[in-house]
């Protein structure tokens, strides 16, 4: 039995069973044995590949969007340029590269990263060499100034809980001895009744308290100081059902088989991240990138480098690739109207 498995089993023994959120948190973020502390998860040799690792075009277009939002906001200075869960730092490096065409943006930007893994912090610092990087210990430490935030495949990594609806209320799906599912006692949960009204009995729903707590802080910052947040991930606006999954070397695996060695995620339920106090827009990743001009960008790169960009573009924006599964949510100040990437109006 691995050391992490022993730690998890001991926790279960002490408590009878643990919530799926505790299981996910132990597997992903245990300070010594957690997945993100141990492994280099990204890229062809890792467990999964993310959009910024597929193509520089992703970060470039996101960067142009952020610069555009900053201009619309009246070019505030200083402002916090923030990434949540920056992985290898590729997305932020691409953002900062395109932003060089706007020196005032770079001058006003105070770079802040939220990253729990010491190993990845090191990689990010190296990748962003030459920039002054501040690591946030927690989202509440965001400075009191306008914030321009990006998060790609971050919210899917945050711990979730699962509940099953029955005729009398809800039962939590918990993790029991031997790493197996067990159902908690039936409880009345008015908040879930409201959120999932009209749901058939027997259906599973998911909640992500950590994600909502972060969304609350972001919303307050945007409402108070202005700014924008761009949240990109797989999921639906108001999805239901069991989306908990484990992936190891690009293949789905049993999430209980090798704790700490597989990436554990769940689809993001974007409506739960939209809190009172902001204007929001959501669209599919393919539509977002097409509206921001990925076609023109890929042609320009092709002309400059001679490299064929068709495949990269297809992987990011194609309907059967990331284009439809991944959604892009923008959180903006309340008085805003549709912005670039979300509307077909020029
Ligand atoms: N955005 C990157 C990496 C996505 S993987 C990309 O697109 O390639 C998820 C990232 O979030 C990793 O950097 C991981 O270490 C970080 N992360 C996961 N849970 C976290 C948490 N609770 N707090 C801070 N960072 C977290």
């Amino acid at each position: 039995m691995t050391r992490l498995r022993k730690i998890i089993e001991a926790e279960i023994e002490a408590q009878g069973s643990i919530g799926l959120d505790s299981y996910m948190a132990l597997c992903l973020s245990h300070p010594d044995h957690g997945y993100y502390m141990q492994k280099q998860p990204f890229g062809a040799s890792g467990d999964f590949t993310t959009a910024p690792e597929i193509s520089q075009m992703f970060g470039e277009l996101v960067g142009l969007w952020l610069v555009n939002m900053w201009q619309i906001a009246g070019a505030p200075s200083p402002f916090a340029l923030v990434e949540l869960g920056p992985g290898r730092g590729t997305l932020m490096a691409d953002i900062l590269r395109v932003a060089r065409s706007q020196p005032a943006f770079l001058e006003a930007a105070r770079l802040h990263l939220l990253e729990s893994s010491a190993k990845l912090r090191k990689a990010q610092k190296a990748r962003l060499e030459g920039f002054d990087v501040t690591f946030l210990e927690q989202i509440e430490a965001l400075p009191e100034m306008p914030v321009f935030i990006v998060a790609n495949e971050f919210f899917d990594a945050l711990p979730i809980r699962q509940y099953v609806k029955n005729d009398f209320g809800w039962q939590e799906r918990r993790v029991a001895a031997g790493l197996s599912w067990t159902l908690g006692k039936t409880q009345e949960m008015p908040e879930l009744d409201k959120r999932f009204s009209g749901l058939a009995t027997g259906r599973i729903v998911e909640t992500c308290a950590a994600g909502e707590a972060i969304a609350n802080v972001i919303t307050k910052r945007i409402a108070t100081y202005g700014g924008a947040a761009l949240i990109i991930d797989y999921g639906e606006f108001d999805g239901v059902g069991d989306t908990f999954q484990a992936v190891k070397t690009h293949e789905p695996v049993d999430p209980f088989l090798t704790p700490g060695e597989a990436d554990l995620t769940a689809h993001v339920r974007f409506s739960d991240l939209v809190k009172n106090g902001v204007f929001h827009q959501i669209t599919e990743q393919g539509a977002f990138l097409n509206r921001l001009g990925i076609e023109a960008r890929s042609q320009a790169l092709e002309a400059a480098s001679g490299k064929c960009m068709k495949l990269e573009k297809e992987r990011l924006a194609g309907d059967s690739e990331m284009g439809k599964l991944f959604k892009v949510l923008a959180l903006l100040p309340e008085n805003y109207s549709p912005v670039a990437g979300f509307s077909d109006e020029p």
Side-chain angles (χ1 to χ4, degrees):
M1 202 187 282
T2 63
R3 260 186 291 177
L4 183 61
R5 179 144 190 176
K6 272 189 200 142
I7 293 167
I8 295 169
E9 292 279 9
E11 187 77 20
I12 292 172
E13 204 180 309
Q15 305 202 25
S17 64
I18 58 174
L20 183 54
D21 55 346
S22 303
Y23 179 72
M24 278 182 85
L26 283 167
C27 288
L28 293 177
S29 304
H30 185 280
D32 300 320
H33 311 296
Y35 176 77
Y36 282 114
M37 320 297 148
Q38 292 274 312
K39 282 231 206 181
Q40 179 55 272
F42 319 100
S45 63
D47 292 313
F48 57 93
T49 310
T50 58
E53 302 297 337
I54 289 171
S55 173
Q56 68 184 80
M57 294 188 290
F58 183 78
E60 289 171 349
L61 294 171
V62 166
L64 292 175
W65 188 88
L66 289 169
V67 170
N68 183 224
M69 290 310 109
W70 175 75
Q71 286 164 336
I72 290 174
S77 174
F79 73 91
L81 178 60
V82 184
E83 185 172 357
L84 312 179
R88 296 210 284 209
T90 307
L91 172 56
M92 188 50 81
D94 290 339
I95 290 170
L96 293 169
R97 194 182 56 256
V98 286
R100 283 200 297 218
S101 62
Q102 298 289 331
F105 176 91
L106 285 183
E107 225 157 86
R110 303 289 176 269
L111 195 50
H112 287 78
L113 306 179
L114 182 74
E115 173 56 66
S116 54
S117 154
K119 191 170 171 176
L120 287 174
R121 280 188 185 197
K122 232 186 233 169
Q124 292 153 13
K125 223 173 150 44
R127 187 66 201 268
L128 302 172
E129 212 198 324
F131 290 93
D132 214 347
V133 178
T134 303
F135 286 101
L136 299 167
E137 287 311 319
Q138 47 184 27
I139 192 78
E140 287 80 3
L142 268 181
E144 314 260 322
M145 54 173 76
V147 288
F148 292 83
I149 303 174
V150 64
N152 185 62
E153 291 209 42
F154 168 71
F155 283 89
D156 67 63
L158 299 179
I160 58 154
R161 287 189 181 220
Q162 289 190 334
Y163 298 90
V164 192
K165 187 174 173 173
N166 67 26
D167 287 333
F168 309 100
W170 301 85
Q171 282 176 287
E172 188 180 351
R173 294 186 85 205
R174 297 175 64 84
V175 182
L179 302 188
S180 59
W181 289 109
T182 185
L183 284 178
K185 284 205 192 85
T186 297
Q187 341 165 34
E188 283 181 30
M189 300 186 73
E191 177 54 38
L192 290 188
D193 293 338
K194 204 166 92 195
R195 195 173 279 191
F196 300 99
S197 74
L199 191 76
T201 57
R203 294 297 306 272
I204 294 172
V205 301
E206 298 173 335
T207 61
C208 182
E212 289 188 54
I214 290 172
N216 273 322
V217 174
I218 292 175
T219 296
K220 280 209 192 92
R221 284 295 190 288
I222 293 174
T224 310
Y225 301 101
L230 197 67
I231 297 170
I232 307 138
D233 227 308
Y234 39 87
E236 298 290 338
F237 189 66
D238 43 17
V240 292
D242 170 19
T243 70
F244 178 52
Q245 59 178 14
V247 170
K248 199 173 164 182
T249 54
H250 301 269
E251 295 290 335
V253 293
D254 178 343
F256 293 144
L257 210 56
T258 52
E261 288 169 36
D263 184 40
L264 303 181
T265 67
H267 283 208
V268 174
R269 192 167 189 272
F270 290 93
S271 58
D272 296 342
L273 304 179
V274 178
K275 304 295 179 187
N276 284 335
V278 283
F279 170 70
H280 80 272
Q281 292 188 273
I282 187 161
T283 192
E284 290 167 353
Q285 177 168 306
F288 180 75
L289 296 175
N290 280 318
R291 290 183 189 121
L292 292 182
I294 193 170
E295 176 60 30
R297 184 68 195 138
S298 71
Q299 282 175 13
L301 284 171
E302 251 179 55
S305 70
K307 186 177 153 203
C308 178
M309 301 300 292
K310 203 167 168 226
L311 201 65
E312 289 181 19
K313 182 186 153 233
E314 187 58 25
R315 287 188 67 191
L316 292 180
D319 284 357
S320 54
E321 304 267 354
M322 303 178 98
K324 280 198 172 300
L325 175 65
F326 280 73
K327 313 293 184 300
V328 183
L329 173 73
L331 304 177
L332 296 156
E334 229 165 12
N335 59 346
Y336 271 46
S337 43
V339 296
F342 293 88
S343 145
D344 290 321
E345 305 294 313

